Amino acid sequence: MSKKTIKAENPELTTTFFGALDTSIFLMYGVAQFFTGAIGDMFNRRVILTVSFFIQAVFLVLTGFAGTFDIYRLWYFCPVLCVFGFVQSVDFPCLVGTLGNWTTKSTRGTLMGIWSTQSTLGNIIGLQLSVVIVKY
């Protein structure tokens, strides 16, 4: 759901509310990457990623419960999103390290370029598909 849709259904939610949510997850993600990047070097990356994905799934479910139980409060979302951002900050350094080990130095730049582009391309394609689906 987009912020516009959520605001239309819940007019009491302000732009400040959404700004606080974005700040919670992105600030924690950015600050934590300075510290969590070394975790992938110290421990087994597969274990770290498995634990990270499991914790992210739990907190994603907690985020979903908010809509189910009609909880739209900062006291609920900010801590959930802070933990979510912290745990996500482990993923990128571990994935880059793993990808670096699987590729040769001559193909690493091309592969990293394709990998970096896929999320943006996926968002563009997903947005276009959703528009087509909603129209019909």
Side-chain angles (χ1 to χ4, degrees), residues 7-28:
K7 283 177 79 170
E9 292 176 4
N10 302 288
E12 71 276 5
L13 300 179
T14 64
T15 304
T16 306
F17 175 81
F18 290 106
L21 298 183
D22 287 345
T23 301
S24 296
I25 191 166
F26 296 132
L27 182 66
M28 184 59 80

Side-chain angles (χ1 to χ4, degrees), residues 40-57:
D41 294 331
M42 291 188 292
F43 303 104
N44 186 337
R45 288 186 185 120
R46 283 185 281 183
V47 174
I48 297 296
L49 287 171
T50 302
V51 170
S52 171
F53 290 154
F54 178 75
I55 294 170
Q56 286 178 57

Side-chain angles (χ1 to χ4, degrees), residues 47-126:
V47 174
I48 297 296
L49 287 171
T50 302
V51 170
S52 171
F53 290 154
F54 178 75
I55 294 170
Q56 286 178 57
V58 168
F59 279 87
L60 194 57
V61 168
L62 289 175
T63 304
F65 280 153
T68 303
F69 296 115
D70 219 20
I71 303 170
Y72 296 104
R73 302 284 180 258
L74 282 177
W75 61 262
Y76 180 81
F77 277 109
C78 283
V80 168
L81 291 177
C82 279
V83 172
F84 197 66
F86 179 82
V87 173
Q88 274 188 341
S89 70
V90 176
D91 296 348
F92 188 72
C94 287
L95 291 171
V96 168
T98 302
L99 212 60
N101 290 338
W102 285 350
T103 60
T104 62
K105 288 186 179 185
S106 61
T107 60
R108 193 171 296 157
T110 303
L111 187 61
M112 292 301 281
I114 292 169
W115 185 49
S116 298
T117 306
Q118 58 87 18
S119 65
T120 306
L121 187 61
N123 286 337
I124 293 169
I125 292 170

